[in-house]
């Protein structure tokens, strides 16, 4: 059997662990720049605040709310503690996200699966002080649907096929992870409105509509666990860094500073995973809804600052729209090659000196503090580097399957 564990309002719950006075209050957790709500408590949700709304809209709907800036460094501490507890109960655990785990449900002799789910839930609350919900079923897709319906602070094992059928009949097909928007509308054209409709549909039709991924969901909904639990994270096919600026800007020097910041973070990740990239892309989003993109291939795989900057500068020029305020940027590195297997350029110049500088920069930052030593091009972003919450991002929590 497969279990799915999901923390209840994890970011809010994590803030309540260190700030007990927040218990019972409507709490909203804000993003990097404090511009929007990225998580909210059940009390704030009841006031009509939804995830992603700007802070000013949230305050209008919930003026008595308490708003705090997110701290992914702290959230990772609690996430790792939860992972330790789950690992005590199961030999095979998948670290799916910062607040979600899939694991093999293996109750000890004399304990049924329902009691097992309750014990895991209660042990995490006791040890980590985070409320979680645990669902157990014959497949991971069913387990997630069960945990979603058991929130908050629930524990439920559904192993009887008849009980599964009754549950699936009540749930809209969009409750399945990966089914939304276009896919949901496409299924509805074929009379598939509930999870049970999908499970009872012709498997070949589902494959035609949703490709092999949809067929996997079909098998899973019918109790056949075709999606395995991954105790170790598979190799990345791409790495990305970026996000919101907080305050939109049309200043080219400021936009260039964001390019350097995101590039240094991307290089940090390439070095951590010991891979080089052969292809990069840069995407810039603008306040008026426009977007620009630039792509480039490297002559040889690299993670060097000077090499990546040479190819990303033209990408930025291609993505830049003059006199239109930009508010977000993302860099993506793909065609990844393990550093040990990379074929370097025959006529590459300055390689040894550049690698020495990169190694020195890495060691200084490792010893003194993240990004203590950085490119002078980031000086327009001094306030960003002075804000501790910007030192850590959700994608910097490593080992998760879903990133």
């Amino acid at each position: 059997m497969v279990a799915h564990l999901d923390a209840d309002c994890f970011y809010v719950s994590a803030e309540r662990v260190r700030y007990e006075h927040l218990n019972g209050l409507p709490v909203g957790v804000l993003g990097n720049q404090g511009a929007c709500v990225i998580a909210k408590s059940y009390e704030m949700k009841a006031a009509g605040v939804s995830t992603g709304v700007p802070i000013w809209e949230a305050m209008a709907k919930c003026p008595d709310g308490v708003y705090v800036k997110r701290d992914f460094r702290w959230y990772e501490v609690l996430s790792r503690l939860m992972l330790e507890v789950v690992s005590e109960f199961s030999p095979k655990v998948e670290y799916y996200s910062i607040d979600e785990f899939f694991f093999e449900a293996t109750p000890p002799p004399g304990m049924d699966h329902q009691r097992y789910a309750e014990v895991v839930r209660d042990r995490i609350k006791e040890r980590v002080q985070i409320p979680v919900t645990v669902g157990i079923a014959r497949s991971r897709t069913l387990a997630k649907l069960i945990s979603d319906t058991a929130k908050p602070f629930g524990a439920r094992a559904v192993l009887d096929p008849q009980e599964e059928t009754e549950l699936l009949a009540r749930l809209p097909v969009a409750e399945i992870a990966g089914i939304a928007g276009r896919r949901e509308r496409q299924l509805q054209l074929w009379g598939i409105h509930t999870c049970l409709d999908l499970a009872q549909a012709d498997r070949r039709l589902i494959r035609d509509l949703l490709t092999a991924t949809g067929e996997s969901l079909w098998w899973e909904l019918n109790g056949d666990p075709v999606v395995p639990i991954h105790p170790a994270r598979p190799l990345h096919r791409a790495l990305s860094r970026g996000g919101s600026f907080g305050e939109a800007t049309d200043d080219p020097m400021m936009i260039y500073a964001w390019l350097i910041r995101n590039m240094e973070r991307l290089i940090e990740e390439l070095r951590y995973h010991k891979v080089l990239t052969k292809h990069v892309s840069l995407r810039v989003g603008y306040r008026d809804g426009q977007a620009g993109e630039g792509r480039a291939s490297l002559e040889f795989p690299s993670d060097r600052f000077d090499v990546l900057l040479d190819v990303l500068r033209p990408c930025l020029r291609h993505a830049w729209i003059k006199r239109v305020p930009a508010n977000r940027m993302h860099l993506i590195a793909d065609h990844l090659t393990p550093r040990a297997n990379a074929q370097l350029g025959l006529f590459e110049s300055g390689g040894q000196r550049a690698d020495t500088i990169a190694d020195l920069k890495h060691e200084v930052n490792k010893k003194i503090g993240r990004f203590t030593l950085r490119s002078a091009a980031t000086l327009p972003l001094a306030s960003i580097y002075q804000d501790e919450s910007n030192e850590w991002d959700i994608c910097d929590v490593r080992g998760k399957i879903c990133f």
Side-chain angles (χ1 to χ4, degrees):
M1 300 301 168
V2 180
H4 175 253
L5 182 149
D6 191 4
D8 301 332
C9 300
F10 178 58
Y11 298 167
V12 172
S13 297
E15 295 296 341
R16 286 172 170 170
V17 170
R18 58 180 175 182
Y19 301 125
E20 291 186 12
H21 67 281
L22 296 178
N23 285 304
L25 298 177
V27 179
V29 178
L30 306 177
N32 262 11
Q33 317 301 330
C36 66
V37 176
I38 62 171
K40 76 280 182 189
S41 67
Y42 289 110
E43 296 86 356
M44 184 166 284
K45 182 179 181 180
V49 177
S50 56
T51 302
V53 302
I55 177 64
W56 51 88
E57 289 185 17
M59 292 182 69
K61 292 180 178 179
C62 189
D64 297 328
V66 179
Y67 298 90
V68 298
K69 211 168 190 180
R70 101 290 184 278
D71 183 354
F72 287 125
R73 189 191 301 257
W74 171 240
Y75 304 159
E76 183 181 11
V77 170
L78 298 182
S79 179
R80 299 290 182 186
L81 289 175
M82 289 195 298
L83 180 60
E84 287 181 12
V85 174
V86 175
S87 297
E88 294 174 5
F89 286 90
S90 174
K92 187 181 293 186
V93 183
E94 178 180 312
Y95 188 32
Y96 183 72
S97 73
I98 195 171
D99 62 345
E100 281 185 273
F101 309 95
F102 287 98
F103 56 99
E104 189 177 281
T106 53
M111 182 185 293
D112 63 16
H113 285 88
Q114 178 60 40
R115 181 58 185 154
Y116 175 78
E118 294 167 356
V119 170
V120 174
R121 176 200 62 185
D122 295 343
R123 188 66 58 83
I124 289 179
K125 187 67 170 70
E126 173 191 338
R127 295 257 292 270
V128 193
Q129 301 177 50
I130 295 290
V132 303
T133 297
V134 179
I136 298 178
R138 294 188 293 159
S139 70
R140 58 188 288 155
T141 300
L142 287 171
K144 179 166 174 55
L145 287 172
I146 290 164
S147 67
D148 287 345
T149 59
K151 281 181 168 291
F153 199 57
R156 187 181 180 191
V158 177
L159 310 179
D160 177 62
Q162 181 59 36
E163 193 176 353
E164 286 178 2
T165 299
E166 294 171 359
L167 174 72
L168 295 178
R170 296 195 303 269
L171 297 177
V173 70
E175 290 294 317
I176 302 172
I179 304 294
R182 182 181 61 82
R183 283 187 163 189
E184 180 185 7
R185 293 190 296 272
Q186 191 175 18
L187 290 171
Q188 289 176 346
L189 293 174
W190 290 87
I192 299 172
H193 300 278
T194 69
C195 295
L196 184 61
D197 291 337
L198 196 154
Q200 293 182 340
D202 186 277
R203 176 178 58 84
R204 292 164 297 181
L205 170 65
I206 298 303
R207 184 180 179 91
D208 288 342
L209 295 175
L210 304 179
T211 70
T213 302
E215 184 181 0
S216 295
L217 291 175
W218 184 92
W219 285 109
E220 290 265 320
L221 288 175
N222 282 286
D224 291 307
V226 297
V227 182
I229 294 172
H230 298 282
R233 198 206 185 288
L235 295 176
H236 287 278
R237 290 196 288 181
L239 291 169
S240 175
R241 286 297 179 270
S244 170
F245 295 170
E247 182 177 350
T249 178
D250 61 358
D251 181 349
M253 291 307 299
M254 187 68 75
I255 296 173
Y256 180 69
W258 278 107
L259 166 65
I260 301 302
R261 169 176 166 76
N262 291 324
M263 195 178 78
E264 290 193 326
R265 293 179 64 233
L266 182 61
I267 290 172
E268 177 189 62
E269 199 65 12
L270 290 168
R271 290 179 65 92
Y272 175 84
H273 291 287
K274 299 179 181 178
V275 293
L276 308 177
T277 180
K278 189 73 167 55
H279 183 270
V280 293
S281 58
L282 179 150
R283 297 170 186 173
V284 180
Y286 295 86
R287 191 168 58 188
D288 64 359
Q290 296 187 74
E293 183 177 12
R295 300 169 179 265
S297 295
L298 285 70
E299 292 185 13
F300 50 86
S302 180
D303 65 356
R304 275 173 38 191
F305 183 93
D306 57 326
V307 173
L308 293 179
L309 185 57
D310 282 346
V311 297
L312 283 168
R313 271 202 200 101
C315 290
L316 179 58
R317 286 196 292 270
H318 196 267
W320 180 40
I321 303 175
K322 294 182 180 180
R323 292 182 290 278
V324 179
N327 57 9
R328 60 192 182 279
M329 177 188 295
H330 290 275
L331 305 184
I332 302 170
D334 52 14
H335 297 188
L336 302 179
T337 304
R339 176 184 284 271
N341 301 339
Q343 177 66 48
L344 300 181
L346 182 62
F347 301 105
E348 180 187 359
S349 61
Q352 184 174 354
R353 181 173 181 273
D355 286 339
T356 301
I357 293 173
D359 290 340
L360 177 61
K361 181 178 178 181
H362 173 76
E363 290 302 319
V364 169
N365 288 334
K366 183 178 177 180
K367 183 176 181 179
I368 299 178
R370 201 175 184 203
F371 304 121
T372 299
L373 188 61
R374 64 181 194 273
S375 168
T378 62
L379 286 176
L381 301 176
S383 60
I384 298 296
Y385 286 93
Q386 290 167 2
D387 185 347
E388 290 185 0
S389 68
N390 284 286
E391 293 180 3
W392 210 259
D393 204 273
I394 182 69
C395 52
D396 297 327
V397 181
R398 298 180 172 113
K400 307 182 305 305
I401 298 295
C402 70
F403 285 95

